[in-house]
Every structure is written in structure tokens, then in C-alpha cells.
Amino acid sequence: MLSFFRQSQKNPAEVVRTLKEALQTLDRGDKKAEKASEEVSKLLQSVKGMLLGFPDQEPQTEVVAQLAQEMYNQNLLIVLLQNMKRVDFEGKKDAAQIFNIILRRQIGTRTPTVEYICTKPEILFMLISGYDSSEIALNCGNMLRECIRFEALAKIILFSPDFYRFFQYVEGSAFDIASDAFSSFKELLSKHKMIVAEFLDSNYDKFFQNYQRLLDSDNYVTRRQSLKLLGELLLDRHNFNVMTKYIGNPENLKLMMIMLREKSRNIQFEAFHVFKVFVANPNKPKPILEILLRNREKLVEFLTKFHSERTDDDQFNDEKAYLIKQIKELKSPSEATSSSSTVS
Amino acid sequence: MDDLTGGRSDGEGSSIPHLTQATNFPPPAVDTNKDAWPTGPKAYEIKNVIGMGASAQVYSAICLPRNQRCAIKRINLEKVSTNMEELCKEIQAMSLCNHENVVTYYTSFVVEEELWLVIKLLAGGSLHDIIKYRLENEDCRHGIFDEATIATVLKEVLRGLEYFHNNGQIHRDIKAGNILLGEDGSVQIADFGVSAFIANYGGGLRENCRHTFVGTPCFMAPEVMEQVVGYDYKADIWSFGITAIELATGRAPYHKFPAMKVLMLTLQNEPPSLETGAEIKDQYKHYSKNFRKLIADCLYKDPTKRPSATELLKHPFFKKAKDRRYLKETLLDHGPGMYVKPYDDPNDGYPNNDKHGSGRFFRTVSGEWTFTEDEEYVESNEDIALPVDSPLGLSNGSLTEPAPWTTGQMVGFVLRVRNQTRELNDIRFEYTLGVDNADAISSELVTAGLVDGRDRISVAANLQKTIESPPVSRSLVFPLSSGVLANEVPDESSLLGFAQLTVLGIFSPTDDSAVEEQNSVVEQQQEA
């Protein structure tokens, strides 16, 4: 089958043009659309062949360059995404693969497709909106994560209002889509540390108001994953300012103390890793200190028994012992003096 | 196109977002896909259990709005040891498959602490079930199935594998237990538990290699065991060859041996054949040359010599293949009927409690902490909402003290440790109490190149410790003497400088089928 496409290889400009036309015929809902659908599938395979080469033949750099250039000129990626739903099952996967290969394309240190998408950011927003439609959500998610690998594209998404759509998507009822959205969301918040720190600094209130919904979610997976990600965000040294702000708020401490008592042991454990940051803070604000003081005995007792079967987890036990010691030695604000070290 | 471009929220456009308000987008739940399966438990009526493991049960069910039968795999996310990311990947791999010989995924959703995976119901059960039934009820000395049946099944499996491989996926656990039969005689490959994408979207065709150690030892290709270089599609072809033997003789060639021994036999001996596990001379002599050739082609130790799934489909042996009606006659009409397994057998190595998952999921409003001065002397009244054993819990109610282990029992273990190239491997092995000793096993692991020589003592010591006092959590993490590389920071959660030893389960020595089942199911790693 592959050899058939190799023989009939047209020139790249023509392939792109025919593909674009066929894609635009897909929504007509008549006989022509049916035929176009078959043609789209074939053309996508043939483009994929040009980009990937064949088992015995490397892709030709020149053909790839022409293809890419023509895709930019014709805005093929946009037309492709607009009509993605009507492409057949295997064709969608081919389309995503083509998108990703084109995106990774490099000329020296330049990534021309990334530059192109920077001028057409709607591509990114179309990909995000893909999570609205189950039949293309995972394909779009795949392309989106490939985009997020590039700092320039991740930045556009983070600083756009569309970023906040993720807070809905990650809580969607279909697990495959919601979890795909979560992995994109997590990538956005972890991949490019400096950008993320800048984003969280300047959007602290809005971000955490939305994030709170995830921590309060009725969906166990949302709660567990968002709590884990919160721990990772706060403990990342790039996010020092954000951490300081977060652990200064007594409401956040209360939430973590409640979560320490969740029925789910996994959630308890993740909550522990956020809770420890509050306790280890050498400059605890008064409200935080008061809550800890008020619960001193209960906390010491609770922590002593907390996950005590994890006897082989030395780091956890060290941290637990440290927290217990810190809490025992807490001094009320009047007698407050210097405190000890921090958690890194 | 409206759904993509017009889907952005009103008023948000390009204006600068208000910083203080949580953004309200219209609910995304309205799916334009009319064929979508419902994503809530109320839309399904659960019927009977058709499969059971430590952290998952499979039920037959009816999807009420569609009035359609289906199977639901309910995975307890608190108990499952696979991490959430792996599970997500597995499900995404499934939903990106659309082929008549690959299990049909419908949808998945979260119900309290469980993940419900809705898939097509294949009421005929697995080939392993049918083999087991025949071994118990019929004279199988001269083979389980005739060649036409074997050819028909294997051809369907190959089609599924071909699709898989073209998709850039490796299944990694092909065996009769993962080949399911529909009532109409259709054949599907199931259990993506260990399948992996090798060609991530956009990856080339050439560097598609994986570096993990999963699967069932008896079916595992030498290159997977050796871990020297990453392996590719061809590892599935080896397992396929072993499956061919299994369909003829009823067993994988080295089924009698513990996992470590299987590894050594596979690596040291000539490739197995129909005769490898035979007990009587000429027992299987009536199987044809073509069939033997097919098996030999798949079982070249050098993966590059093995044919691809596409090439294998052209093998002359498959001229014998018939259609599904034939399978229905030979396998289903004379088989065990509807998927019946001894689920209630107390000795089958599966815990049999907790059939309905974890019960209610409780969320306390304020726990029993004291957040304001007013609350200070008020006794907590939230306790009712908490299950008795939970909040301070030594146990979440699911893990009971392990029964004392006795001589002669076999304990299944998984050692999760990084190899020289720093990839995580799962090494499965069995330990027979009163027969094996920790030092010898550890040395064997070192000799096999699976464990760093410097870690021999720590592995042995922790194995010994586990055997003397089994950990309640069934799993322990311990530091390695080999430490970490210069650019690494020791970290227990990612097992850098640490290894994890998990008890898979305890088996009575005769119950080898249970061992095999256990070994193959990933989520059963934690407690069996």
C-alpha cells in the first residue's frame, strides 16, 4: 500500500492544495463529501509517507521543506483543524502525527512552524477547544502537548483567557478526555519554569481561585491529581514567591489540614506534602501560627500515627519527625523569636 | 467551523481578564457526538462478575439508554499500584484503537474512588479459560485444539497485532489469557495493561524502542529479559509464537518453572518448540510441518530474524484458517460456556472481599481541627462522617494483616529497580518458603544482570526482612548501595538510589494457573 503512494507521489504543493480542497468539501453532507472523505484519508497517508519516509528510504529534506512551506502558505493546519471532526478515525491520527512532525521541524536553531503558529495563535485555541468534542479530543490533546513543548507557544496559552478553560476540561465526566486535559494542563504549568513563575506571580488570585475548585471537586481523580500538582508547584524553587503567598493564607492551611483527614490515603499523603511547607515556614504569619498552636496536641498525636506503616520510607519519616518537632516547639507570637531552617 | 473556532467563551475574547473572578465558561459537558457512551454510573445496570483481581473487577452490564450489553472494568484507584499517569496512557492507547481484533473501548469515568472502564462484552471468555476447561474435562494428551482452530484464532490475533504495530504500539503481553472470544466466534486482543506507545506521535519509524520489563515471563522474548537494548514490535512476535505453542499443548513451554528459572531457560536454551513441555514421546507429532515452521519463525532469538505481523499473515500455515462460525462451533459450543471462573475459590490467590469497591466516599466538612477560638473547646461532631478506621488510620480497611506464611507456599514478588541505563524495570520472581533463600535469589538477580552487584546484599537483606515480617502495605522501598549517578539526587518516590520490593501474592504450589494470572496483571502488583 505504501509503495503505491510512493509511486504516485505528486509534488508537495499539489498534495497540499488537493488536501485542502478535499477537507473543505467534507461538510457538504452529500455524495461529494463521501468521496472527499476517502480522498482526505489517502492524502493524509501520503503526506505522512513524505514526512516519515519509508522503511527503506529516508524522507527527502527538500520535499519536507516544500510541504511545510505550502502548509503555511495555504493555512492548511487551520483548515485541517476546522474539519478534523469529519476526518475518519485513522485519518485523525495521521493528521495529528503530521501536525507534530511539521511542528518539530528545525532549520538550524529555528523552528519555522512554531514561528508560523505564533502568527496564527488561533491554532492553539482551536486545539484547546478540541476538548469540547469527544471524537477529536485526544487527537487535539496530542497536538496541543506537542505545542506546549515550545516555550513561545506555551506562553501564548498561559497568558490567554482560554487557559482558564482547562479548569473545566480537567473535571469533565469522560475520564480519558479529562485526564488528557489534565496532562496538558500539568505540562503548561511545569514545562517552562520561568514563564510559569511569571504567570503565577502576576495571576495569583485568579489562578488560585480557579484552582480551589479543583481541590474541592467531587471527582476523586481531580482532587487527587490537583493536590499532587499543587505540591509540586509550591515546592519548585522557581515558584518561591507563589509559595510564600500561598502558605501565608490560613484558609489554605485549613484546607490542607482537612485533606490530611480525607478517607483516601493517597489524598492524605499528597496533603501531607503541602502541609509540611506551612509548618516548615520560618516566618509564619500570626494566623497560621495560631491555627497550629491551637491544634498543637492534636497535630502531634495525629502526625505520630500518620501513615506509620511507611516504615521504609526514610524521607517521609524524617520529614514527619521534623514536623512533629517543629510543632512541639512552636512558640506563641508574644514569645516568638527566631525559628529554624526551611524545607528546600 | 463552529465547534472549534466559535467555542471560545463570550466576552472573554482578547480582553484582559479580571483578576479577581473565577472565570465561568459554559459547561463543556454538552458533547456534540451523538454516539458517545454515557459517563455516569446511573446509565448502567451492573449484572454479574466476570473477572476479579485485587484492585479491579470486571462485570457484565447493560447500558440502559442504549439498551446494549457491555463489560465494565472497575478499577479501585486507591488500591491500584500503577500510577495515575500510566493508567491514563493505557486508556488513551485503548481509545485510539479501532479494529475488529482489538478490544473495543467505549468510555471511562470516575465513580467515587473507582475508575469505570466500559468496553465491549466478549461473552466467550478468554482462550485461557477454554484451555483450562478442556484440560480439566477432556483428554488433551495429543493437543488442545486442532490446527484449523489454531490457525483461525492466530490469524485474527495477527490482524490485531498488525494494527497495533502500525499504530506505533507494542502490546507486550500477548498470550491466550489476553485473547478474548465473542459469542459469535469473533476474536479480540485484550488487556492493554502493559501496552506502550513506542512511536509517540511524530516519532520516526526507526527508533521505536522501549526499555521496560513487563509481561508474563513464560511469554517474554529474550531481548526483553536481557534488557541490553530496547526492544520493538518483534517482542510481540515472540510472545505470539509462545501463544501458538500454548494453543496446541495447553501450556507455555516453561510453565512449570518459577519466573527466574524461565528467564534462564529462555536465555540459555535453544528456542522452545511444541515438544519442549511434552511429557510423553511423540505426544504432539500430528501437528504439521507448517505449524512447526510458524512457531520456529516467531521464536528466533534474534528479533531481526522474526517476521513482522504483516509478513506472518502470508505464512502458508494460515491457509488452514476458517471463519468465526467455525470458532463458534469448535470453541464455544463445546467449551465451558459463559466465562465461568472459580471466583469464590478461597485458594485461588485473589482476595474475595470488597466486591463493590470502597463504599461511600466521605468528605468531612471541617475534620476535627480547631480553626477558630470558638471551636476551641467544642468536641468534634464530624466523626460520624468518617469511617471508623480511617482518619488516623493504620489501615484504610482494605489491607489486612498478611496471613503467616508457611513452608511450601510460593510468594510472588516484584522488584522495581533502575537498570544501568536508568530505566525502571519490574523484575518478577517467586520465592518458595523453606526452599529458596534470599541470598541465592539476590545472587541470581545479579548474575542475570538485573541487579547491580553492589546491591546484592541490600536486595537480599530486604527480601529476607519481607519474608520474616511481611509489610502491611505489601510493599517496601529501600536504599541501594549503588547509590545514584553524579547528576542525580536520591529520591524514593522516583526510585533514584532506591528500589521497591512488592509482594504480589502467596500461592499454593499446585495452583500454577493462579501464579500465571497474577504475574500478568499489572494492577495486582500491590496486593494479591
Side-chain angles (χ1 to χ4, degrees):
Chain A
M1 197 142 98
L2 286 172
S3 59
F4 162 74
F5 291 110
R6 197 168 0 169
Q7 277 153 21
S8 70
Q9 204 173 82
K10 300 172 198 150
N11 78 59
E14 202 183 323
V15 172
V16 171
R17 194 179 43 79
T18 336
L19 178 56
K20 186 177 171 185
E21 279 167 18
L23 283 165
Q24 285 167 331
T25 318
L26 284 180
D27 62 352
R28 290 174 39 157
D30 56 10
K31 275 254 166 72
K32 275 200 174 163
E34 259 172 54
K35 230 184 141 197
S37 169
E38 275 172 38
E39 196 174 2
V40 166
S41 311
K42 278 187 193 160
L43 286 166
L44 286 170
Q45 282 191 42
S46 131
V47 172
K48 198 171 107 178
M50 291 180 186
L51 291 174
L52 282 175
F54 299 91
D56 55 342
Q57 189 193 324
E58 291 286 334
Q60 294 163 270
T61 331
E62 203 176 305
V63 173
V64 173
Q66 282 176 31
L67 259 181
Q69 195 51 51
E70 207 53 30
M71 285 188 189
Y72 312 146
N73 293 345
Q74 301 270 341
N75 284 325
L76 183 79
L77 297 180
I78 294 177
V79 177
L80 190 59
L81 292 178
Q82 280 168 341
N83 293 284
M84 190 78 164
K85 270 191 188 177
R86 296 179 189 85
V87 175
D88 68 19
F89 190 88
E90 299 298 326
K92 283 175 194 146
K93 290 195 283 188
D94 289 338
Q97 205 174 348
I98 290 168
F99 183 98
N100 290 351
I101 299 168
I102 288 288
L103 185 60
R104 285 183 196 168
R105 189 170 156 253
Q106 279 191 307
I107 305 175
T109 53
R110 283 183 52 221
T111 41
T113 311
V114 173
E115 289 166 20
Y116 167 75
I117 295 178
C118 283
T119 67
K120 301 271 177 203
E122 63 263 40
I123 290 177
L124 299 171
F125 305 128
M126 287 164 88
L127 288 174
I128 296 174
S129 298
Y131 285 122
D132 281 325
S133 324
S134 62
E135 65 272 52
I136 56 168
L138 298 190
N139 306 103
C140 287
N142 242 308
M143 295 184 261
L144 187 60
R145 269 190 304 286
E146 198 63 38
C147 291
I148 294 169
R149 292 181 47 203
F150 297 94
E151 189 173 294
L153 302 183
K155 188 173 179 179
I156 294 176
I157 298 173
L158 270 178
F159 286 90
S160 78
D162 287 63
F163 171 73
Y164 292 90
R165 310 189 75 170
F166 277 102
F167 289 99
Q168 297 249 345
Y169 293 139
V170 301
E171 253 204 298
S173 63
F175 173 80
D176 48 357
I177 300 173
S179 64
D180 192 284
F182 192 86
S183 51
S184 302
F185 181 69
K186 186 174 173 177
E187 277 293 293
L188 275 169
L189 291 169
S190 341
K191 181 84 190 164
H192 309 283
K193 307 278 186 201
M194 304 296 276
I195 305 278
V196 172
E198 184 193 332
F199 164 73
L200 290 176
D201 261 350
S202 54
N203 295 280
Y204 181 93
D205 291 336
K206 185 173 180 184
F207 178 83
F208 280 102
Q209 262 174 26
N210 279 280
Y211 207 90
Q212 187 65 32
R213 282 215 318 251
L214 304 185
L215 297 171
D216 285 337
S217 171
D218 287 332
N219 185 318
Y220 162 85
V221 172
T222 308
R223 218 160 54 248
R224 183 170 151 188
Q225 302 218 84
S226 59
L227 186 57
K228 180 160 186 263
L229 178 58
L230 174 66
E232 289 167 12
L233 287 176
L234 295 181
L235 287 170
D236 190 318
R237 61 191 164 80
H238 294 89
N239 298 329
F240 184 80
N241 288 344
V242 173
M243 177 196 76
T244 313
K245 206 162 172 185
Y246 191 88
I247 62 173
N249 184 338
E251 291 308 311
N252 295 336
L253 174 61
K254 287 182 194 173
L255 180 68
M256 288 312 133
M257 288 171 69
I258 290 163
M259 286 186 131
L260 278 174
R261 289 186 177 282
E262 279 257 7
K263 180 187 168 235
S264 155
R265 293 175 60 74
N266 287 299
I267 289 180
Q268 293 171 7
F269 193 61
E270 298 302 344
F272 174 84
H273 290 295
V274 181
F275 173 74
K276 70 185 181 192
V277 192
F278 288 90
V279 180
N281 179 7
N283 307 306
K284 296 177 198 57
K286 195 169 162 236
I288 299 282
L289 191 57
E290 278 173 351
I291 289 174
L292 293 175
L293 277 171
R294 228 171 253 137
N295 292 284
R296 176 150 54 185
E297 275 69 45
K298 286 180 189 171
L299 275 169
V300 169
E301 194 198 338
F302 177 85
L303 287 174
T304 309
K305 294 179 189 161
F306 185 76
H307 290 219
S308 51
E309 83 292 348
R310 287 183 198 263
T311 47
D312 306 290
D313 188 341
D314 288 340
Q315 193 189 341
F316 167 73
N317 284 305
D318 289 352
E319 286 180 357
K320 205 171 88 167
Y322 174 78
L323 291 193
I324 293 171
K325 183 168 170 285
Q326 287 285 304
I327 292 169
K328 277 184 179 162
E329 290 171 0
L330 281 176
K331 294 194 177 77
S332 63
S334 50
E335 44 181 321
T337 48
S338 63
S339 279
S340 45
S341 60
T342 57
V343 166
S344 63
Chain B
M1 212 204 51
D2 50 0
D3 298 293
L4 280 169
T5 49
R8 298 175 60 187
S9 73
D10 308 337
E12 283 291 327
S14 55
S15 65
I16 297 154
H18 298 288
L19 289 180
T20 47
Q21 241 178 351
T23 318
N24 282 314
F25 284 97
V30 190
D31 199 313
T32 49
N33 185 0
K34 286 167 218 78
D35 297 331
W37 281 68
T39 50
K42 284 191 182 133
Y44 298 87
E45 189 182 310
I46 299 282
K47 298 290 193 183
N48 44 318
V49 184
I50 54 175
M52 174 95 89
S55 55
Q57 301 92 38
V58 187
Y59 296 82
S60 69
I62 293 175
C63 174
L64 298 169
R66 301 173 66 102
N67 193 26
Q68 190 174 344
R69 294 206 297 165
C70 57
I72 299 183
K73 186 171 180 179
R74 291 168 53 171
I75 302 161
N76 187 315
L77 296 170
E78 275 289 304
K79 292 185 189 173
V80 74
S81 62
T82 333
N83 71 36
M84 205 84 94
E85 279 97 17
E86 301 249 318
L87 204 59
C88 298
K89 277 192 198 134
E90 177 188 339
I91 285 169
Q92 280 155 19
M94 270 177 94
S95 58
L96 287 171
C97 283
N98 180 17
H99 190 271
E100 59 172 347
N101 298 116
V102 177
V103 70
T104 316
Y105 164 89
Y106 294 144
T107 190
S108 55
F109 48 89
V110 179
V111 183
E112 288 156 15
E113 291 178 10
E114 289 180 352
L115 175 62
W116 289 27
L117 191 61
V118 186
I119 51 181
K120 185 172 177 178
L121 179 70
L122 291 185
S126 80
L127 263 295
H128 180 80
D129 297 331
I130 296 171
I131 291 172
K132 210 172 157 193
Y133 175 84
R134 295 238 170 139
L135 284 172
E136 283 161 8
N137 295 287
E138 289 168 26
D139 176 6
C140 297
R141 269 177 302 176
H142 300 293
I144 302 278
F145 302 126
D146 63 279
E147 282 201 18
T149 303
I150 296 176
T152 316
V153 170
L154 289 182
K155 193 174 175 187
E156 300 294 310
V157 172
L158 269 183
R159 286 196 179 124
L161 265 186
E162 183 187 34
Y163 179 83
F164 241 83
H165 293 172
N166 286 342
N167 238 350
Q169 288 169 283
I170 317 178
H171 185 283
R172 301 198 287 179
D173 204 13
I174 294 291
K175 56 177 183 176
N178 282 336
I179 302 172
L180 302 186
L181 271 184
E183 280 170 309
D184 57 351
S186 56
V187 175
Q188 289 195 328
I189 302 175
D191 213 328
F192 287 45
V194 290
S195 78
F197 265 100
I198 46 168
N200 202 349
Y201 272 64
L205 286 171
R206 286 171 198 83
E207 311 153 318
N208 301 335
C209 291
R210 289 289 309 185
H211 305 272
T212 30
F213 198 77
V214 286
T216 309
C218 284
F219 294 78
M220 205 179 272
E223 72 272 18
V224 181
M225 298 175 173
E226 276 177 331
Q227 305 271 304
V228 185
V229 285
Y231 56 92
D232 67 1
Y233 312 100
K234 296 296 179 64
D236 279 344
I237 301 296
W238 174 282
S239 311
F240 176 83
I242 301 288
T243 307
I245 297 180
E246 188 188 14
L247 293 182
T249 68
R251 304 278 193 199
Y254 301 128
H255 75 274
K256 285 190 204 126
F257 303 104
M260 278 307 293
K261 183 85 177 166
V262 174
L263 297 195
M264 295 206 304
L265 289 172
T266 308
L267 292 173
Q268 286 165 8
N269 292 4
E270 286 301 300
S273 67
L274 284 176
E275 273 67 36
T276 304
E279 284 158 351
I280 313 164
K281 195 171 177 290
D282 290 341
Q283 193 175 357
Y284 304 118
K285 73 170 182 191
H286 67 92
Y287 284 111
S288 71
K289 270 202 178 125
N290 267 338
F291 184 41
R292 287 162 193 278
K293 181 77 173 63
L294 173 88
I295 293 171
D297 284 352
C298 296
L299 299 183
Y300 278 113
K301 282 191 170 179
D302 175 358
T304 58
K305 288 189 179 155
R306 287 173 223 151
S308 67
T310 312
E311 285 159 354
L312 270 177
L313 279 167
K314 294 178 202 136
H315 198 280
F317 175 65
F318 293 111
K319 286 191 187 124
K320 291 203 171 95
K322 300 190 174 180
D323 57 5
R324 17 177 101 161
R325 219 175 321 138
Y326 183 76
L327 289 187
K328 187 173 176 298
E329 275 167 33
T330 62
L331 294 179
L332 294 173
D333 299 348
H334 305 291
M338 178 77 184
Y339 215 148
V340 193
K341 278 189 186 178
Y343 298 115
D344 298 323
D345 180 352
N347 299 318
D348 67 356
Y350 295 113
N352 201 23
N353 51 3
D354 206 10
K355 270 203 170 72
H356 293 281
S358 49
R360 285 290 310 156
F361 187 87
F362 293 113
R363 189 98 211 275
T364 57
V365 180
S366 74
E368 53 175 62
W369 306 116
T370 313
F371 291 135
T372 65
E373 271 174 69
D374 302 344
E375 288 175 306
E376 194 123 15
Y377 300 103
V378 179
E379 281 300 304
S380 160
N381 53 4
E382 302 289 345
D383 282 6
I384 353 150
L386 292 164
V388 267
D389 61 346
S390 174
L392 304 173
L394 287 163
S395 144
N396 65 358
S398 63
L399 298 173
T400 45
E401 271 310 314
W405 294 349
T406 54
T407 299
Q409 274 184 326
M410 198 200 284
V411 184
F413 283 100
V414 169
L415 177 68
R416 179 170 287 191
V417 67
R418 290 186 185 274
N419 64 11
Q420 297 96 319
T421 42
R422 309 312 276 164
E423 287 123 358
L424 276 179
N425 290 335
D426 278 350
I427 305 161
R428 292 156 198 262
F429 58 90
E430 279 129 29
Y431 183 103
T432 308
L433 292 143
V435 176
D436 287 319
N437 78 67
D439 276 332
I441 295 230
S442 182
S443 302
E444 248 182 278
L445 291 167
V446 172
T447 316
L450 297 167
V451 165
D452 190 308
R454 289 170 290 174
D455 299 322
R456 190 180 62 81
I457 293 170
S458 49
V459 168
N462 283 285
L463 182 56
Q464 188 61 33
K465 183 168 149 192
T466 308
I467 286 152
E468 282 165 7
S469 58
V472 179
S473 63
R474 307 286 159 109
S475 191
L476 69 85
V477 175
F478 57 93
L480 292 170
S481 321
S482 56
V484 292
L485 301 179
N487 58 346
E488 291 173 345
V489 181
D491 177 30
E492 281 181 55
S493 57
S494 53
L495 296 180
L496 282 167
F498 289 85
Q500 182 185 33
L501 186 66
T502 304
V503 180
L504 278 176
I506 306 132
F507 315 102
S508 59
T510 50
D511 195 359
D512 61 353
S513 63
V515 174
E516 196 175 303
E517 293 280 341
Q518 292 291 335
N519 278 350
S520 64
V521 184
V522 158
E523 342 50 89
Q524 290 173 1
Q525 279 177 10
Q526 191 138 8
E527 331 105 32

